[in-house]
Amino acid sequence: MKSFLELAQARQSDRAFVAGAKIEREVLERIVEAARMAPSACNGQPWHFTVVTDENILADYVKAIVGLGMNKFVKDAAALVLITLESTNFSSRVGSGIKDKNFPLMDLGIATAYMTLAAEDEGVGSCILGWFDEKRIKELAGIPNGRRVMLIVALGVAAGAKRRKVRKAFDEVVSYEKY
Ligand SMILES: Cc1cc2nc3c(=O)[nH]c(=O)nc-3n(C[C@H](O)[C@H](O)[C@H](O)COP(=O)(O)O)c2cc1C
């Protein structure tokens, strides 16, 4: 079993999936369950996860995601998880306002990170997507106008090999006691 650090080091944005490969429902559920367990400001949990797995329905979503040469690989994803920003609770809204910080967006990012790490733990490939036709995605999923789909996570059986991680050097981004 991988340690958490090993999971974090191994997770990558997979941009090639095995065509036609499926992910078992229980596995998908565990991946989304991990996101549901994520922390959020004042426990506001301002999220909704829409899981799309039906092959015919997926095809329409793929059209709404692929654009300007981006994200073509989603055609082979076994599932997509739409991450919709919901209204948060009063305390989180007040806190966001007073501190001038967008807590709900941070919350979604954390939940998304949990989801992709859970996918890695399950041996499932993932890629976070910020580039897609949000209006069309909302139409397809029946998401009300006032809501935003901030991210989509594509899940599938990874077809490519693991890449070397490209990250800023430890000393460049970490300091002790002082900035
Ligand atoms: C908010 C966000 C949006 C992203 N949108 C896309 C996207 O639309 N398409 C894509 O291929 N990768 C997307 N990525 C993946 C990043 O490019 C990737 O995480 C980064 O290059 C680091 O590589 P790694 O995930 O393989 O470690 C997104 C990542 C984040 C966090």
Side-chain angles (χ1 to χ4, degrees):
M1 208 177 104
K2 284 195 177 92
S3 70
F4 183 78
L5 178 58
E6 285 165 341
L7 268 184
Q9 287 167 334
R11 185 223 50 85
Q12 67 177 16
S13 296
D14 289 305
R15 298 193 179 90
F17 297 120
V18 177
K22 303 257 181 272
I23 303 170
E24 282 171 39
R25 180 120 197 155
E26 302 78 66
V27 174
L28 270 178
E29 267 174 27
R30 286 197 295 271
I31 291 171
V32 182
E33 172 64 0
R36 191 176 75 89
M37 288 297 117
S40 57
C42 306
N43 205 15
Q45 305 166 64
W47 46 56
H48 180 90
F49 307 106
T50 308
V51 185
V52 184
T53 55
D54 183 286
E55 245 173 65
N56 300 313
I57 300 174
L58 272 174
D60 287 331
Y61 281 91
V62 168
K63 281 187 215 141
I65 293 171
V66 174
L68 296 179
M70 291 281 288
N71 296 333
K72 285 191 201 142
F73 59 91
V74 292
K75 69 177 179 21
D76 296 321
L80 295 169
V81 184
L82 318 182
I83 299 169
T84 302
L85 179 65
E86 299 288 319
S87 53
T88 192
N89 60 24
F90 179 74
S91 318
S92 178
R93 282 203 302 278
V94 170
S96 274
I98 293 175
K99 292 294 164 196
D100 187 23
K101 289 176 183 172
N102 194 327
F103 290 144
L105 282 188
M106 297 181 202
D107 299 337
L108 283 203
I110 295 167
T112 305
Y114 271 44
M115 195 182 294
T116 57
L117 286 162
E120 179 66 34
D121 188 41
E122 297 281 352
V124 168
S126 69
C127 189
I128 301 171
L129 308 171
W131 177 278
F132 49 85
D133 180 345
E134 186 183 346
K135 189 166 172 283
R136 182 68 187 133
I137 292 285
K138 282 168 61 175
E139 275 168 16
L140 288 168
I143 294 168
N145 269 339
R147 296 271 182 271
R148 300 278 322 263
V149 179
M150 290 301 184
L151 294 170
I152 296 176
V153 175
L155 297 168
V157 174
K162 290 284 185 198
R163 297 182 301 270
R164 194 180 56 82
K165 274 262 170 282
V166 180
R167 292 294 186 264
K168 292 178 182 174
F170 189 91
D171 291 344
E172 195 184 336
V173 296
V174 182
S175 57
Y176 293 87
E177 316 333 330
K178 293 260 189 197
Y179 178 83

